[in-house]
Amino acid sequence: MLNIYHLLIVFLNLAAAIFCADEYSREDFPPGFIFGSGTSAYQVEGAANVDGRSPSIWDTFAHAGKMGGETGDVSVDQYHKYKEDVKLMVETGLDAYRFSISWPRLIPNGRGPVNPKAIQYYNNLIDELISHGIQPHVTMYHFDHPQALEDEYGGWLSRRIIKDFTAYADVCFREFGDRVLYWTTMNEPNVLPILSYDVGLLPPNRCSPPFGVNCSQGNSSSEPYLAAHHLLLAHASAARLYKNKYQRKQFGSIGINVFGFGFFPLTNSTEDVLATQRANDFFAGLIVNPLVFGDYPDTVKKNAGLRLPSFTDHESKVIRGSFDFIGVNHYVTALVKDNPASLNLEHRDYQADMAIELITVDLANSSFEYPISPRGMQAVLEYFKQVHGNPPIYIHENGQRTRRASSLGDTSRVKYMQAYIGSVLDAIRNGSNTRGYFTWSFLDVFELLGGYETCFGLYYVDMNDPELKRSPKLSAHWYAQFLKGRRIVSSDPVIQLPQNVSAFSISHLFQ
């Protein structure tokens, strides 16, 4: 664990680097740096009842009315429109496309027989991308395991899912690994335990009062840690399989993805600085510490106590070093205040164990759009550089939230991208081992925390058009010009965090 002196050095170094490049082009990035965009299976494919796909936990959740009656049954139908979408990617100038494979489409029962129609679809998509010079970056799990496994043994609450996930990964490597060179096992395994098992905002909608609402079952005190533990073990098992069986002949790389908050101490007090490190321990550290050091952060072990499972010596050895890169999703910045009183609660959940209070822009009362604070991106990348040995990093998601009804002239998204891409360049110049940047999302899709009202896409999709017509937004034109060599000059100052700040819970950031 870093002591207070080292923590202060981290923040002083970061403070010296907190600015956003005022002028840059893609030529300023290192050779081989990847620019892309992404989506995920349930959010973009549609075809929920087509060609042998079985229900995922997301189908069950959405059809139970948890998303206000909206579902991903059709979404934007990339299952049938992938060629059209790849053409748009070419026009935009993408180097790469990040997408996920649907486990319930590939192996409908969760284990056992493989669906040949799914093999055909993903082969077609991968081949279409490669034939147009676009790299496929594939995530194997993006919150959507088969409902059959949830019904049988409780999904991520059971160790049985480790074997089933590894077998699913084996099919992915075997069928697609000759062309897929970038594999990500899990999307945001540090967020899933909170939103799915603590506050119950996502399927399988488990929580317990007073920590979550509208859940019929769950335990917010213990289940988030149990799910995170099994997610880590499943990742390590799949990564070990890839490295032992496939990597030497397929020449690819494998990693995991985490959500990265841009955390800063509210004040320069020792308490708030240490609270900021604790916030990082509970978020990124919960997943990345075992990957780098073989065990959970000491602070997490101390505050969670017996509710946090422990690794055996063998498991620790398997997990440690089980990655070639770390994927990072980043959107927002938060200020951290020490809150030791939460540790005095008789019953605590994951959030109370952190003993912090998050302070930042009151998103509920301000603009729907995210504040533009590129210093948060640099804070995340500096954290990985200083604390976790500067591993190879791919920014897998970064983007601006708008409402679907907003115009195609999404100037706020352009300003956001301009600021954050510039901040990535500055982080690289400051020594970060960042190797790629992907916008979220390529299209307006079914958002997991906003349905069809919330949009992040470069391309608008007309949901009232039977053909689901795609139209480029201003951000798509801007990104295309940047990717094709235009030099970006910032004539406007970077928007900073407003002064109206207030406290909120972690889950508030995702709403």
Side-chain angles (χ1 to χ4, degrees):
M1 176 180 293
L2 295 180
N3 61 33
I4 186 65
Y5 171 77
H6 289 128
L7 285 170
L8 287 170
I9 291 298
V10 168
F11 290 117
L12 287 172
N13 286 341
L14 186 58
I18 294 300
F19 62 94
C20 169
D22 291 326
E23 184 175 340
Y24 64 86
S25 76
R26 71 170 301 168
E27 296 301 318
D28 294 315
F29 287 80
F33 190 90
I34 295 168
F35 285 99
S37 191
T39 62
S40 83
Y42 185 74
Q43 297 178 262
V44 74
E45 284 182 2
N49 303 307
V50 171
D51 291 342
R53 180 187 178 276
S54 71
S56 74
I57 58 170
W58 258 102
D59 294 279
T60 302
F61 184 77
H63 280 273
K66 300 293 186 177
M67 298 295 292
E70 296 180 336
T71 75
D73 288 359
V74 177
S75 187
V76 297
D77 198 23
Q78 189 168 88
Y79 188 79
H80 295 107
K81 299 175 74 68
Y82 69 92
K83 287 188 177 181
E84 177 183 340
D85 289 341
V86 172
K87 183 178 178 182
L88 294 177
M89 294 174 203
V90 174
E91 292 175 0
T92 310
L94 300 189
D95 299 324
Y97 177 52
R98 176 181 177 245
F99 64 95
S100 72
I101 291 175
S102 168
W103 188 350
R105 192 182 297 282
L106 190 64
I107 307 177
N109 293 324
R111 73 167 75 84
V114 177
N115 180 4
K117 290 288 188 179
I119 297 291
Q120 180 182 5
Y121 168 69
Y122 290 114
N123 272 331
N124 289 343
L125 173 59
I126 291 166
D127 289 345
E128 189 74 10
L129 290 166
I130 292 174
S131 69
H132 287 86
I134 299 173
Q135 299 175 2
H137 286 235
V138 176
T139 300
M140 288 182 284
Y141 183 73
H142 199 114
F143 298 177
D144 58 346
H145 61 269
Q147 182 64 39
L149 300 185
E150 189 68 27
D151 293 340
E152 182 180 351
Y153 54 66
W156 292 110
L157 297 180
S158 171
R159 290 182 69 96
R160 293 173 61 184
I161 200 169
I162 299 168
K163 180 179 180 181
D164 287 340
F165 180 78
T166 305
Y168 159 61
D170 196 12
V171 174
C172 293
F173 301 146
R174 183 180 71 236
E175 298 292 338
F176 314 122
D178 58 329
R179 288 151 294 153
V180 174
L181 299 180
Y182 299 90
W183 291 102
T184 303
T185 54
M186 313 282 180
N187 181 76
E188 297 179 350
N190 58 333
V191 166
L192 183 88
I194 305 171
L195 297 189
S196 295
Y197 296 94
D198 188 346
V199 296
L201 282 176
L202 298 183
N205 186 217
R206 296 181 65 90
C207 62
S208 58
F211 308 111
V213 295
N214 298 324
C215 298
S216 60
Q217 55 188 344
N219 186 326
S220 298
S221 293
S222 61
E223 288 186 1
Y225 295 111
L226 188 61
H229 194 69
H230 294 154
L231 284 158
L232 271 167
L233 291 173
H235 156 79
S237 177
R240 185 184 192 188
L241 170 71
Y242 184 73
K243 290 175 176 293
N244 290 342
K245 185 177 179 181
Y246 292 101
Q247 193 169 46
R248 282 189 293 273
K249 59 184 178 182
Q250 294 181 349
F251 308 107
S253 58
I254 191 165
I256 194 169
N257 168 286
V258 295
F259 189 98
F261 286 101
F263 285 133
F264 291 89
L266 179 64
T267 71
N268 62 0
S269 69
T270 299
E271 291 79 9
D272 286 353
V273 171
L274 289 173
T276 302
Q277 176 60 31
R278 195 162 59 247
N280 279 319
D281 283 345
F282 270 83
F283 279 102
L286 182 73
I287 300 302
V288 182
N289 257 58
L291 300 179
V292 176
F293 305 115
D295 199 4
Y296 294 115
D298 290 341
T299 306
V300 179
K301 291 195 292 184
K302 177 183 176 182
N303 290 10
L306 295 177
R307 289 173 290 130
L308 178 68
S310 59
F311 298 114
T312 66
D313 289 343
H314 174 71
E315 289 169 344
S316 179
K317 290 178 182 178
V318 171
I319 291 172
R320 185 174 183 177
S322 61
F323 69 99
D324 299 314
F325 64 86
I326 301 292
V328 172
N329 298 348
H330 172 73
Y331 294 92
V332 292
T333 295
L335 308 178
V336 181
K337 183 179 187 300
D338 185 41
N339 181 30
S342 69
L343 294 177
N344 296 327
L345 296 173
E346 183 178 358
H347 300 289
R348 299 200 303 270
D349 68 339
Y350 177 92
Q351 298 185 73
D353 286 339
M354 283 189 285
I356 65 169
E357 186 176 358
L358 295 182
I359 311 289
T360 190
V361 176
D362 188 345
L363 298 178
N365 297 323
S366 65
S367 169
F368 184 81
E369 299 163 357
Y370 289 144
I372 300 176
S373 183
R375 64 176 187 159
M377 177 73 83
Q378 293 190 47
V380 172
L381 298 179
E382 186 73 11
Y383 168 77
F384 281 105
K385 186 182 79 173
Q386 296 279 354
V387 179
H388 292 297
N390 205 18
I393 296 284
Y394 291 89
I395 307 300
H396 275 164
E397 294 183 21
N398 177 241
Q400 176 61 285
R401 178 177 70 172
T402 59
R403 297 187 188 276
R404 177 168 290 274
S406 58
S407 79
L408 297 179
D410 55 343
T411 54
S412 66
R413 183 167 289 110
V414 171
K415 290 181 179 180
Y416 186 101
M417 293 169 63
Q418 178 172 303
Y420 281 81
I421 291 174
S423 74
V424 172
L425 176 58
D426 286 330
I428 292 171
R429 287 170 169 167
N430 198 40
S432 173
N433 193 13
T434 304
R435 301 185 180 187
Y437 172 90
F438 292 72
T439 69
W440 183 269
S441 54
F442 184 64
L443 305 166
D444 285 342
V445 298
F446 176 81
E447 284 296 332
L448 301 185
L449 283 164
Y452 296 108
E453 168 65 13
T454 301
C455 295
F456 289 82
L458 301 174
Y459 286 82
Y460 171 79
V461 181
D462 186 352
M463 304 301 291
N464 296 317
D465 179 1
E467 299 299 318
L468 297 169
K469 180 181 178 182
R470 281 83 157 124
S471 299
K473 302 178 188 178
L474 180 64
S475 56
H477 292 294
W478 181 91
Y479 200 34
Q481 291 175 353
F482 164 69
L483 294 179
K484 293 170 184 176
R486 177 190 172 191
R487 192 152 195 86
I488 304 302
V489 179
S490 176
S491 57
D492 299 321
V494 175
I495 302 171
Q496 299 296 330
L497 283 172
Q499 296 301 310
N500 57 316
V501 297
S502 63
F504 62 97
S505 69
I506 294 162
S507 56
H508 187 108
L509 279 174
F510 298 93
Q511 297 176 342

